[in-house]
């Protein structure tokens, strides 16, 4: 999926401000992306809604940022 497709998928759960797909892979050789939301009132709810969903044939694993930037 490209960034535009990711944007449309993630906007279901809030006000998406930025989507960035990394060119690198994680330690397991998997691709990953970052999604930045604005005005999230319940982070736990958002994490539950998006985690373990299958999008474009790929299972998403959601991690909440430890640092706000």
């Amino acid at each position: 999926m490209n960034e535009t497709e990711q944007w449309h998928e993630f906007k279901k759960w809030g006000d998406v401000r930025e989507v960035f797909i990394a060119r690198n892979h994680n330690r397991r050789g998997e691709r990953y992306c970052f999604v930045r939301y604005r005005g999230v009132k319940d982070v736990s709810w958002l994490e539950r809604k998006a985690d373990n969903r299958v999008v474009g044939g790929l299972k998403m694993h959601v991690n909440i940022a430890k640092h706000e930037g």
Side-chain angles (χ1 to χ4, degrees), residues 7-65:
W7 189 290
H8 289 291
E9 186 62 35
F10 282 98
K11 77 176 187 175
K12 295 176 185 177
W13 302 299
D15 187 7
V16 175
R17 290 296 164 176
E18 181 181 10
V19 175
F20 172 74
I21 300 175
R23 289 190 177 141
N24 300 341
H25 294 77
N26 66 14
R27 292 180 204 156
R28 294 180 296 207
E30 300 166 332
R31 298 285 308 268
Y32 60 94
C33 80
F34 298 94
V35 179
R36 184 183 309 260
Y37 284 91
R38 179 173 181 214
V40 175
K41 291 181 174 69
D42 188 346
V43 174
S44 296
W45 175 86
L46 179 60
E47 184 178 21
R48 285 191 310 274
K49 294 303 276 185
D51 196 31
N52 292 314
R53 292 218 181 245
V54 177
V55 177
L58 301 172
K59 189 173 185 179
M60 294 191 304
H61 299 282
V62 175
N63 295 305
I64 302 302

Side-chain angles (χ1 to χ4, degrees), residues 36 64-69:
R36 184 183 309 260
I64 302 302
K66 293 173 180 56
H67 306 286
E68 191 170 327

